[in-house]
Amino acid sequence: MNDDAESVATRLWRDRAQIREQERDDAMARLRIAEEKVAILLAENDRLAAENARLRALSGPDSGQGETELQMEALRGALLPLLSQHGGIMNS
């Protein structure tokens, strides 16, 4: 009876060890996937930062207008023709 109990305990211990190993392997796989995603996001962030720097350089230091002012001017340019088409009042 003692050998049977020891055999059951040994099997249970082995099963638990296998489960822990599988959990560890799964966690390592998730970690690798997360690291790959972080690397992709960092590369995309670097690309976007470079694109922003390029666009800022194109606008030039002498432009004197901030981004908001440029957006407002673009919006005004898009809206004024629409207002004139529909008989709206144009204020300059």
Side-chain angles (χ1 to χ4, degrees), residues 8-79:
V8 169
T10 303
R11 283 196 310 262
L12 285 173
W13 184 85
R14 273 194 231 133
D15 289 347
R16 287 175 126 179
Q18 286 175 343
I19 289 170
R20 284 193 304 271
E21 287 175 7
Q22 183 62 44
E23 289 172 345
R24 183 201 63 216
D25 293 344
D26 292 345
M28 294 297 289
R30 287 192 306 271
L31 175 63
R32 280 191 299 275
I33 290 168
E35 287 173 338
E36 290 170 4
K37 287 180 180 180
V38 167
I40 290 168
L41 290 172
L42 286 173
E44 178 70 5
N45 189 49
D46 290 345
R47 186 191 68 76
L48 291 172
E51 178 69 7
N52 282 341
R54 185 186 72 78
L55 292 173
R56 283 191 182 104
L58 286 177
S59 69
D62 300 338
S63 68
Q65 287 186 317
E67 185 177 346
T68 303
E69 289 84 7
L70 291 173
Q71 290 173 347
M72 291 295 290
E73 191 59 36
L75 183 59
R76 173 182 264 237
L79 290 176

